[in-house]
């Protein structure tokens, strides 16, 4: 055990400002989009265009075309990783992180809803058959169901394709995920798409260090919530980490070379945070960013995670964009009455977002529900 004895107690506002700072939300960063995606250890991307807003709200000078270009040039890819959900990550991280997270992905199939549908399927045989198909040309889930289903007639074709997404590192190829372009989900293997295979052994300690650098200080339970991995207590115990406590007595850890924690009273500008953003998904205790009484207004029973607005650094409402006939409208639904200055700031920030996301729309408007 090389962890230091827990030291200072960190209040909710200190944890809030630290999270905003590391998430590039306390002040917009001058990082390029590829560097930012790497720093954030990816962006959840099951909503294929959410990453564009996620980067716009974090980066100074970001243009939506920048991320489209990175996708097309294979600098970033969309692949199942953290929590078994689709993430947009750098090409290096697609190869580096997948081996670390493979136990989670295997457990999801063995213990999840798809398990009965693939009972009796030889995994190695199915992986080899799928690899041959998707490396010949990218294949949609429907095509894989049609091509693989007859080979395993006793299996459920949909469950088989979902299992293969976890058993085999499959990336979703463009135009899926390119801004303003419609595209069906189509898979090929990460090593085929990127022209190289994963290098080096899986390193859970490196994953924990990167998590703390982007989301800390945080607990073991927080890291497990973010990653979906279990058994991280032993990983933390083998690391040299700085230790604190929160106001409820939980031990929080940080990397030894972390920057000084920001002043809890430092002002935080309003922000529009994307759907499914890891900002609200990466802690077992979300109260540093999202009050407990508002969780169900952000995260719905059917698995949707709505876009949120931050006021004074905390989630203060949800938002959405509606597009029709040359019009783009942002609608903000605050959880409580807003101060006039905060309402004006959100209206101005929403206008800037529409100018970036929908420059060709003839009509822009920011409304409050």
């Amino acid at each position: 055990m090389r962890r230091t004895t827990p030291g200072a107690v960190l209040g909710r506002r200190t944890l809030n400002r630290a999270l905003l700072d590391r998430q590039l939300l306390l002040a917009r960063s001058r990082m390029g989009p590829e560097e930012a995606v790497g720093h954030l250890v990816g962006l959840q991307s099951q909503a294929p265009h959410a990453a564009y807003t996620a980067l716009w709200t974090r980066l100074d000078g970001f243009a939506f075309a920048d991320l489209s270009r990175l996708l097309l040039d294979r600098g970033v890819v969309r692949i199942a990783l953290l929590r078994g959900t689709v993430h947009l990550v750098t090409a290096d991280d697609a190869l580096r992180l997948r081996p670390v997270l493979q136990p989670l992905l295997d457990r999801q199939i063995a213990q999840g809803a798809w398990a009965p549908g693939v009972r009796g399927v030889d995994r190695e045989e199915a992986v080899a058959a799928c690899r041959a198909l998707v490396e010949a040309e990218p294949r949609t889930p429907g095509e894989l169901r049609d091509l693989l289903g007859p080979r395993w007639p006793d299996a459920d074709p949909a469950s088989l394709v979902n299992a293969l997404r976890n058993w085999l590192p499959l990336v979703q190829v463009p135009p899926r995920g390119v801004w303003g372009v419609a595209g069906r989900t189509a898979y090929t293997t990460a090593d085929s798409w990127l022209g190289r295979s994963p290098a080096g052994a899986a390193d859970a300690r490196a994953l924990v260090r990167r998590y703390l650098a982007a989301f800390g200080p945080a607990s073991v339970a927080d890291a497990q919530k973010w990653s979906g991995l279990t058994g991280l207590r032993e990983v933390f115990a083998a690391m040299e980490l700085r230790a604190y406590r929160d106001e409820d007595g939980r031990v929080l850890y940080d990397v030894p070379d972390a920057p000084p924690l920001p002043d809890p009273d430092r002002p935080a500008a309003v922000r529009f945070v994307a759907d499914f953003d890891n900002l609200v998904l990466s802690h077992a205790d979300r109260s540093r960013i999202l009050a407990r009484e508002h969780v169900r207004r952000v995260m719905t029973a059917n698995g949707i995670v709505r876009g949120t607005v931050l006021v004074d650094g905390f989630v203060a409402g949800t938002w959405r964009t509606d597009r029709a006939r040359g019009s783009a409208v942002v609608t903000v639904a605050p959880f409580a009455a807003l101060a006039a200055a905060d309402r004006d700031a959100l209206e101005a920030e929403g206008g800037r977002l529409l100018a970036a996301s929908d420059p060709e729309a003839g009509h822009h408007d920011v409304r409050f529900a």
Side-chain angles (χ1 to χ4, degrees), residues 135-360:
E135 290 186 351
E137 62 180 278
R139 308 281 186 172
T140 68
E143 290 170 337
L144 289 174
R145 288 193 295 270
D146 292 342
L147 291 165
L148 295 172
R151 189 162 176 176
W152 286 276
D154 295 331
D156 172 59
S159 296
L160 179 58
V161 171
N162 282 317
L164 285 163
R165 188 199 72 153
N166 282 33
W167 290 340
L168 190 61
L170 298 177
V171 298
Q172 296 186 16
V173 302
R176 183 73 168 168
V178 174
W179 185 258
V181 179
R184 298 184 301 167
T185 297
Y187 293 121
T188 191
T189 59
D191 41 341
S192 172
W193 185 249
L194 298 174
R196 51 200 168 101
S197 299
D203 188 351
R205 285 178 293 181
L207 184 69
V208 166
R209 281 193 294 272
R210 292 184 62 189
Y211 167 71
L212 293 174
F215 294 90
S219 68
V220 175
D222 292 330
Q224 294 186 155
K225 183 73 171 181
W226 168 75
S227 65
L229 292 171
T230 57
L232 289 184
R233 189 167 300 280
E234 291 79 7
V235 177
F236 274 72
M239 299 174 66
E240 184 72 37
L241 297 171
R242 189 179 299 174
Y244 303 95
R245 290 193 186 274
D246 67 11
E247 293 174 321
D248 293 323
R250 285 181 288 259
V251 180
L252 307 177
Y253 300 101
D254 208 355
V255 288
D257 57 349
L261 298 174
D263 186 332
D265 295 322
R266 180 172 168 178
V270 300
R271 293 282 186 260
F272 282 77
V273 178
D275 302 0
F276 298 98
D277 200 290
N278 280 335
L279 179 73
V280 298
L281 293 173
S282 300
H283 296 86
D285 176 9
R286 301 184 178 97
S287 61
R288 70 181 68 194
I289 191 70
L290 174 62
R292 292 181 180 90
E293 63 267 25
H294 297 322
V295 168
R296 292 303 174 195
R297 303 176 78 168
V298 173
M299 302 171 189
T300 69
N302 59 351
I304 300 300
V305 182
R306 296 186 173 108
T308 58
V309 292
L310 304 183
V311 175
D312 188 31
F314 293 89
V315 173
T318 61
W319 70 278
R320 70 176 192 272
T321 302
D322 297 304
R323 299 176 174 91
R325 297 182 180 180
S327 172
V329 178
V330 162
T331 301
V332 177
F335 296 151
L338 295 168
D342 294 330
R343 185 184 176 101
D344 290 347
L346 284 168
E347 185 171 7
E349 184 75 349
R352 288 188 286 270
L353 173 56
L354 288 172
S357 64
D358 294 81
E360 296 179 1

Side-chain angles (χ1 to χ4, degrees), residues 4 6 13 33-34 44 58 69 79-80 102 140 142 158 180 213 217 231-232 240 255 276 296 307 317:
T4 58
R13 287 187 65 89
E34 187 172 3
Q44 185 158 325
R58 287 172 164 91
R69 192 175 305 109
I79 184 173
Q102 194 59 51
T140 68
L232 289 184
E240 184 72 37
V255 288
F276 298 98
R296 292 303 174 195

Side-chain angles (χ1 to χ4, degrees), residues 43-53 55 62-73 76-79 86-89 171-186 193:
L43 297 162
Q44 185 158 325
S45 188
Q46 67 191 74
H49 291 149
Y52 291 83
T53 305
L55 290 177
F62 172 75
F64 281 43
D66 296 341
L67 182 54
S68 291
R69 192 175 305 109
L70 270 175
L71 269 168
L72 293 167
D73 292 344
V76 296
V77 295
R78 299 176 63 247
I79 184 173
V86 177
H87 271 67
L88 181 136
V89 294
V171 298
Q172 296 186 16
V173 302
R176 183 73 168 168
V178 174
W179 185 258
V181 179
R184 298 184 301 167
T185 297
W193 185 249

Side-chain angles (χ1 to χ4, degrees), residues 34 37 74-77 89-96 190 194 196:
E34 187 172 3
V37 171
R74 310 187 190 193
V76 296
V77 295
V89 294
T90 65
D92 286 343
D93 275 347
L95 301 173
R96 181 186 297 127
L194 298 174
R196 51 200 168 101

